[in-house]
Amino acid sequence: MSKKVLSICMSLLLASIVQAQNEQQDSYLPTLGIKTNLLYGATTTPNLGVEFGLSPKLTLDISANYNPWEFSDNKKIKHWLVQPELRYWFCERFNGAFMGLHAHYAEYNVGGIKILGLKGIRYEGNLYGGGISVGYHWILSKRWSIETTIGAGYAHLDYSKYKCGTCGNKVKESNRNYWGPTKAGINLIYMIK
């Protein structure tokens, strides 16, 4: 009797493997995309991201941003930022709604921007932290997609404060803990495969 049960179990297991392979061949799930965040681009920050499929419902998104520009009157939002994120997709990867868990690290040199309260002062330092995000991905064609995402979390900022944009003595050296928005994006995506 145990040989008969073992034989049935082996047959069911083999049938399940064959069915899973057939389903995998029948459905197309993208595995790799490159992207750019149009919101960051609007702030003169060139950026590029890549997203890898890890499983049918998990992806790893890694974005990098770099702003080297200095504007008139010593206005600047110079920085570089890297932000990896593990995403869980509610439907299937690269389709529909997702939740993410992200980390971030940046170095910055910002100042002279009145709207940010930085008229006549400059901050230089680094930050690190993490957060959670939600988003939605729309498939436009086999190769093109667009997604929106927003996230909130924590960042620890270490900084030096200066009186003017390019000169001046250091006024303060300190750190700050920040809780609030940590991510926002409207991403244009090209699926490589």
Side-chain angles (χ1 to χ4, degrees):
M1 180 116 148
S2 64
K3 286 184 183 180
K4 196 174 201 179
V5 170
L6 182 60
S7 175
I8 291 170
C9 289
M10 290 301 286
S11 296
L12 289 173
L13 180 62
L14 192 56
S16 298
I17 291 171
V18 169
Q19 181 182 358
Q21 287 176 341
N22 288 338
E23 286 175 4
Q24 188 174 18
Q25 289 171 355
D26 290 343
S27 67
Y28 169 75
L29 284 178
T31 57
L32 177 64
I34 58 172
K35 59 179 70 178
T36 187
N37 187 331
L38 302 175
L39 290 180
Y40 289 174
T43 67
T44 69
T45 303
N47 63 90
L48 188 63
V50 63
E51 190 166 3
F52 305 92
L54 302 176
S55 75
K57 290 190 177 258
L58 285 178
T59 59
L60 177 63
D61 176 70
I62 303 170
S63 65
N65 310 288
Y66 178 62
N67 188 318
W69 321 116
E70 187 167 322
F71 305 100
S72 62
D73 299 328
N74 293 321
K75 294 177 186 162
K76 60 183 137 205
I77 51 173
K78 290 183 173 184
H79 70 278
W80 68 266
L81 164 73
V82 64
Q83 196 168 46
E85 179 174 64
L86 182 64
R87 292 179 170 179
Y88 173 80
W89 297 80
F90 293 105
C91 182
E92 61 189 8
R93 69 176 178 235
F94 300 111
N95 186 13
F98 63 85
M99 282 187 65
L101 181 63
H102 63 267
H104 42 256
Y105 180 82
E107 291 183 1
Y108 57 89
N109 183 355
V110 297
I113 302 169
K114 186 177 181 181
I115 196 166
L116 297 177
L118 300 175
K119 182 80 173 161
I121 57 173
R122 177 173 64 90
Y123 288 93
E124 188 174 336
N126 62 48
L127 66 85
Y128 58 87
I132 58 172
S133 65
V134 295
Y136 198 88
H137 184 111
W138 292 273
I139 298 171
L140 303 176
S141 69
K142 183 176 179 182
R143 295 285 178 207
W144 291 99
S145 297
I146 196 160
E147 75 181 15
T148 57
T149 184
I150 190 161
Y154 166 79
H156 178 81
L157 294 88
D158 292 313
Y159 64 89
S160 297
K161 181 179 178 180
Y162 298 88
K163 273 201 171 184
C164 72
T166 58
C167 59
N169 295 327
K170 190 185 295 185
V171 176
K172 182 180 183 182
E173 191 167 303
S174 189
N175 59 56
R176 178 179 175 212
N177 294 311
Y178 164 84
W179 291 92
T182 53
K183 185 173 190 152
I186 298 173
N187 297 312
L188 181 62
I189 304 159
Y190 180 77
M191 301 309 299
I192 295 174
K193 60 185 225 184

